[in-house]
Amino acid sequence: MPVPFQRVYIESAGYFMPGEPIPNERMDAYIAPLNRMSERIKRRILAENGILTRHYAIDEEGVTRHTNAQLAAGAIRDCLQRGGTELSRVSLLASGSSGGDTLMPGFANMIQGELAAPPMETLSVHGICAAGVSAIQSAAQGIELGAHRTALAVASEMPSRLFKRSRFAARGYETDFDSHFLRWMLSDGAGALLLSDGTPALAGNPGLRLRLKWVHQRAFSGDYPVCMQLGLTEDRARGHLDFGSWAEAEAAGALSLRQDIRLLPHLFDIGIHEYATLVRDGWVDPKRVDHFLCHYSSEKFIPVVEDLMAKADLAIPRERWWSNLAWRGNTGAASILIMLSEFLHTKTLKAGEQIFCYVPESGRFMAAYMLLEVEAAGTASQQAGAGPRMTSESAPDDEIAIAPPHDPAAAPEGLGTLLTELAGIWHDYRSRAWRTPLIRQIRERRFALPDYLNWMEQWVPQVREGSRWMREGAASLTGPYKALAALIDVHAGEEQDDFNILFSDYRNAGGTAPRIDDLRRNPGGEALNAYLHGLAATRDPIGLLGAIYIIEGTGQRIVPALLPLIKAGLKLPPDAFRFLEYHGHNDENHLNRWLAAVEMVMAVEADKGGEEANGRGRAARQIIDTARHTAALYLMQFQHITERMPHEPNA
């Protein structure tokens, strides 16, 4: 749940970019090529990321011209100067960074020392991109609780010191792609925000105040492996402190900054699902967002984010997006503060406008969001507007009049409400599935051949039932649903032999059960099977579309993430993975067909005349409820797989 704020305002914002802007053609003078591959990697990365200039706090000789603490101090001075205020007003300093200049003490304390600031409370947040948002949230909470009247949040990054060619000498100037490509992605800079309880107007905007409505952060580190890291070897097996010396750690690559780009699609998937949940619960309405500040590391990811938002019917028009990535570069935790600062300095704001910020963090997967709203100075704080639930006693009339997201009375025709709620169900299901014993075995590379065979022995008989309950459900559809029945029959026909492919994979992997009938579903599979057959036997069981959403989604989203790990660990021939390969490639088409089926259902309900709104609502509710029940039962099936089951007949 987001953390709401009723009395926290951004009073001023500032940033500090060291040195002159460095264009792409001058990067080699600062980040020298390592080997003959460097130029090719650089061309590829720069062609994709859209960055034209960036700033470095080192010079062409690799000498540090500004420390990280000095960058942060420069941003704070700019912030205070723009606000026309003094450091003596500040009683809390919260910093965010992936690393200061020292391992100890904390970064905030080093910044305080650099500023020669008076005694105050400090907090150092160590992280990656979302660390800046964490600093903002911590400062805001201090004000909201009444412990502080004014607080500073600052984020600063200086990765250039890690990218100097000399850092790679111990490895003979050879390194893996995951550490090589970041040299062309990241750069230096700092941003700062002055937060207060709202007495002064926003600097540079007389008559306006900028209220922080809420902050939401959620980490998924229990679901995914490390993606971006500094301090581990390439295989993540040893940390830098586990070596006998710093020199040994450096030679082993444990002091190289890395990012596993193969994991990045999952980051945007969880980020958009989390955004969909915020929309569903009423924390943000895409139609009310006037400015969208999205921290993306590369312009390559803009269409990825746009596509995911559009699929959930939650798109924010592209003309409302704002970014300074092209001329400021990717500055990690500082990016969102630098972006927000420059936005506030260059844009003309109006009372009532909303600014929505989104920061994905790849470290071990985290998503952070902020919503700000411009108010006319002198107006009462719209306290209940911080959250989704409002009452006439606590919110002004203009807040009450705003329709909830996807209100059927006001929303355009479409599937936005349904897809939003399904996204929330999927998001929770995927997260829970990721922590089941089976998938943990796979992710932690403890998945051996007996485990694979055990899984197949329980899964084959479950897959066999898929086309059966689908055909049974199609036969139960009546009248206007005949076209839907035909579509489901086509789908069932394509999948009727899937279990034979899976059984063949099982045998090719070394499975010993001679016949499919010798295999048994586990208790979770039995429960799922009974539920789906029971529902399929009812009149017009359109809720089965919710089951298909979860089951096909598992094949299209979860299986492709697991398959490379399974293959790497088992070393089996390709004909032992045909079923998993097939579903990873084809369930995307199946999900598109599912969307067409849902549209058929909604069209049928719309044709019923006066009952249109209620009919479509009932149809959507059946699909949503079935998806929720199917997800719970599929999780039960996952949970039971690691309990060994004999495959003797009638066991």
Side-chain angles (χ1 to χ4, degrees):
M1 177 179 175
V3 178
F5 301 101
Q6 283 82 41
R7 54 192 298 267
V8 179
Y9 292 81
I10 294 179
E11 188 175 319
S12 63
Y15 60 95
F16 182 80
M17 310 305 296
E20 61 180 337
I22 306 300
N24 292 347
E25 55 271 19
R26 288 189 55 208
M27 289 184 73
D28 285 356
Y30 296 83
I31 309 298
L34 299 181
N35 51 41
R36 57 187 177 82
M37 293 178 58
S38 295
E39 184 61 29
R40 179 168 58 86
I41 294 174
K42 181 181 73 169
R43 285 198 306 268
R44 171 186 166 187
I45 298 305
L46 293 178
E48 292 179 347
N49 66 24
I51 300 173
L52 303 177
T53 62
R54 77 282 295 141
H55 294 257
Y56 294 127
I58 59 174
D59 64 17
E60 295 183 2
E61 302 301 320
V63 177
T64 298
R65 294 305 183 188
H66 302 274
T67 66
N68 205 10
Q70 288 171 344
L71 297 181
I76 289 172
R77 292 188 182 102
D78 182 56
C79 177
L80 295 175
Q81 186 272 327
R82 290 177 183 273
T85 191
E86 300 294 331
L87 185 58
S88 57
R89 284 184 56 209
V90 177
S91 57
L92 169 62
L93 171 62
S95 70
S97 180
S98 61
D101 306 296
T102 62
L103 298 178
M104 302 178 195
F107 189 40
N109 298 88
M110 297 302 289
I111 299 169
Q112 183 186 17
E114 182 65 34
L115 291 166
M120 63 178 65
E121 182 180 344
T122 61
L123 175 69
S124 303
V125 178
H126 180 73
I128 309 183
C129 297
V133 178
S134 297
I136 295 170
Q137 179 177 325
S138 300
Q141 287 175 307
I143 293 171
E144 185 75 13
L145 293 171
H148 301 276
R149 294 287 306 277
T150 309
L152 273 167
V154 62
S156 185
E157 298 284 22
M158 191 181 169
S160 61
R161 291 180 292 196
L162 294 170
F163 298 152
K164 294 185 291 189
R165 190 171 190 271
S166 58
R167 292 286 184 189
F168 299 86
R171 304 194 77 190
Y173 304 104
E174 297 293 335
T175 189
D176 52 281
F177 178 82
D178 289 354
S179 64
H180 207 148
F181 95 101
L182 283 176
R183 304 177 77 233
W184 318 110
M185 293 287 290
L186 302 175
S187 52
D188 307 340
L193 300 179
L194 180 65
L195 284 71
S196 70
D197 55 9
T199 302
L202 176 64
N205 292 268
L208 297 177
R209 298 189 303 178
L210 183 59
R211 183 161 68 91
L212 179 63
K213 298 190 73 172
W214 53 259
V215 176
H216 178 61
Q217 299 188 84
R218 202 171 190 197
F220 298 84
S221 304
D223 299 354
Y224 293 99
V226 173
C227 177
M228 183 174 177
Q229 56 90 3
L230 171 64
L232 298 175
T233 53
E234 181 181 354
D235 60 4
R236 309 187 188 103
R238 298 180 71 185
H240 64 287
L241 295 177
D242 298 323
F243 290 88
S245 66
W246 292 114
E248 291 179 50
E250 189 171 36
L255 299 182
S256 296
L257 181 62
R258 289 185 175 82
Q259 184 179 57
D260 187 345
I261 62 173
R262 292 163 290 277
L263 294 172
L264 288 180
H266 300 294
L267 176 62
F268 294 106
D269 190 40
I270 65 171
I272 297 304
H273 282 307
E274 197 68 19
Y275 162 61
T277 301
L278 291 170
V279 173
R280 181 196 66 193
D281 292 344
W283 290 95
V284 62
D285 181 351
K287 295 187 292 296
R288 286 208 61 206
V289 172
D290 300 282
H291 308 285
F292 180 40
L293 276 59
C294 178
H295 166 61
Y296 41 81
S297 60
S298 171
E299 289 188 352
K300 174 184 178 181
F301 297 124
I302 294 176
V304 176
V305 175
E306 278 190 303
D307 184 57
L308 288 170
M309 295 172 83
K311 283 182 178 178
D313 202 16
L314 301 173
I316 297 172
R318 187 72 178 88
E319 61 269 18
R320 300 182 192 173
W321 292 39
W322 195 89
S323 171
N324 57 4
L325 176 72
W327 61 91
R328 298 300 181 195
N330 179 0
T331 53
S335 288
I336 194 63
L337 285 88
I338 296 171
M339 193 187 311
L340 185 57
S341 298
E342 190 166 8
F343 172 83
L344 294 176
H345 299 164
T346 57
K347 292 293 182 178
T348 300
L349 301 177
K350 299 176 183 177
E353 287 187 329
Q354 289 191 348
I355 304 168
F356 181 49
C357 304
Y358 166 43
V359 180
E361 177 181 301
S362 64
R364 195 158 183 173
F365 292 142
M366 186 170 177
Y369 312 81
M370 299 187 294
L371 185 66
L372 303 101
E373 183 165 328
V374 182
E375 296 178 355
T379 61
S381 173
Q382 298 173 350
Q383 292 186 2
R389 296 166 183 83
M390 306 172 209
T391 66
S392 57
E393 291 82 8
S394 59
D397 291 343
D398 60 339
E399 287 283 287
I400 297 172
I402 298 171
H406 307 300
D407 185 351
E413 185 126 352
L415 304 177
T417 303
L418 172 61
L419 293 178
T420 299
E421 192 150 357
L422 285 174
I425 293 169
W426 169 264
H427 193 28
D428 179 71
Y429 160 72
R430 194 269 324 145
S431 182
R432 292 174 183 271
W434 224 242
R435 293 192 293 275
T436 57
L438 171 72
I439 295 182
R440 286 191 65 88
Q441 277 186 330
I442 297 171
R443 289 168 48 217
E444 295 170 4
R445 295 169 173 80
R446 296 184 288 107
F447 191 70
L449 179 58
D451 302 306
Y452 183 62
L453 296 176
N454 176 60
W455 181 16
M456 297 301 104
E457 287 169 359
Q458 299 171 61
W459 201 17
V460 170
Q462 177 59 42
V463 171
R464 179 165 60 175
E465 296 300 319
S467 61
R468 293 178 177 176
W469 59 256
M470 278 191 274
R471 284 210 163 99
E472 188 176 351
S476 298
L477 292 169
T478 62
Y481 288 117
K482 288 304 182 182
L484 175 62
L487 184 63
I488 293 177
D489 271 330
V490 169
H491 187 66
E494 289 182 1
E495 299 209 340
Q496 65 183 0
D497 292 324
D498 279 4
F499 70 93
N500 284 320
I501 297 173
L502 184 58
F503 184 66
S504 176
D505 291 349
Y506 162 75
R507 294 283 296 174
N508 291 334
T512 57
R515 299 179 306 136
I516 293 177
D517 288 340
D518 295 333
L519 304 178
R520 292 291 181 269
R521 291 179 294 273
N522 67 40
E526 291 288 355
L528 176 63
N529 185 53
Y531 172 68
L532 294 176
H533 276 292
L535 182 59
T538 63
R539 180 184 175 87
D540 294 333
I542 57 178
L544 287 174
L545 292 174
I548 294 173
Y549 175 85
I550 294 296
I551 295 170
E552 298 290 352
T554 301
Q556 196 272 327
R557 300 179 189 180
I558 293 179
V559 167
L562 299 177
L563 185 55
L565 297 176
I566 296 172
K567 283 182 165 183
L570 297 186
K571 308 300 182 186
L572 290 171
D575 61 3
F577 303 110
R578 290 178 304 156
F579 178 83
L580 296 179
E581 289 274 15
Y582 164 79
H583 273 267
H585 292 305
N586 287 280
D587 278 350
E588 178 69 32
N589 297 327
H590 295 170
L591 286 175
N592 290 335
R593 183 182 293 156
W594 171 88
L595 189 60
V598 173
E599 290 175 325
M600 285 184 182
V601 169
M602 296 307 173
V604 169
E605 296 298 334
D607 288 341
K608 292 182 179 179
E611 293 294 320
E612 174 183 342
N614 290 336
R616 296 181 74 170
R618 284 195 302 270
R621 181 48 51 192
Q622 290 178 50
I623 294 171
I624 289 165
D625 288 345
T626 305
R628 183 174 287 110
H629 296 323
T630 302
L633 293 170
Y634 219 95
L635 283 170
M636 186 188 301
Q637 180 182 234
F638 270 131
Q639 289 283 358
H640 278 281
I641 285 172
T642 49
E643 299 178 10
R644 303 273 177 197
M645 297 181 65
H647 57 252
E648 289 80 6
N650 301 318

